[in-house]
Amino acid sequence: MFFRKKVNRLVDIKKAEERFQKDVEKTPLEKKDRLAMILAALIVFVPAFLLVLAVFGLILYFFFFRFL
């Protein structure tokens, strides 16, 4: 199999979670990391949310409000 290491890493979830916890403990968050993560999430999710709202609004317009 081509990706044996990756498959084994995904299959052994407990070992991967322990390794992740060790990595998190070794590198704690810095002062502005939380703000950076929040801003990055906003940059990603707000445009997607606005796009979904726009599509929903267009559907409502074409089905209900176009003939008023």
Side-chain angles (χ1 to χ4, degrees), residues 9 19 21 29 32-33 38 43 45-46 57 62-63 65:
R9 187 172 39 199
R19 186 175 40 223
Q21 286 298 327
L29 292 178
K32 300 285 183 174
D33 283 346
I38 291 170
I43 289 171
F45 291 120
V46 168
F62 284 125
F63 279 111
F65 302 118

Side-chain angles (χ1 to χ4, degrees), residues 38-56:
I38 291 170
L39 290 175
L42 287 174
I43 289 171
V44 170
F45 291 120
V46 168
F49 180 69
L50 290 175
L51 182 66
V52 168
L53 279 178
V55 168
F56 186 67

Side-chain angles (χ1 to χ4, degrees), residues 12-67:
D12 193 9
I13 296 171
K14 187 173 247 179
K15 186 177 178 182
E17 286 179 0
E18 290 172 1
R19 186 175 40 223
F20 175 73
Q21 286 298 327
K22 272 198 303 187
D23 290 344
V24 168
E25 290 171 0
K26 281 196 293 188
T27 57
L29 292 178
E30 293 181 9
K31 188 175 183 180
K32 300 285 183 174
D33 283 346
R34 187 160 303 173
L35 176 64
M37 287 188 287
I38 291 170
L39 290 175
L42 287 174
I43 289 171
V44 170
F45 291 120
V46 168
F49 180 69
L50 290 175
L51 182 66
V52 168
L53 279 178
V55 168
F56 186 67
L58 282 173
I59 289 171
L60 283 176
Y61 172 75
F62 284 125
F63 279 111
F64 298 111
F65 302 118
R66 191 171 62 169
F67 300 114

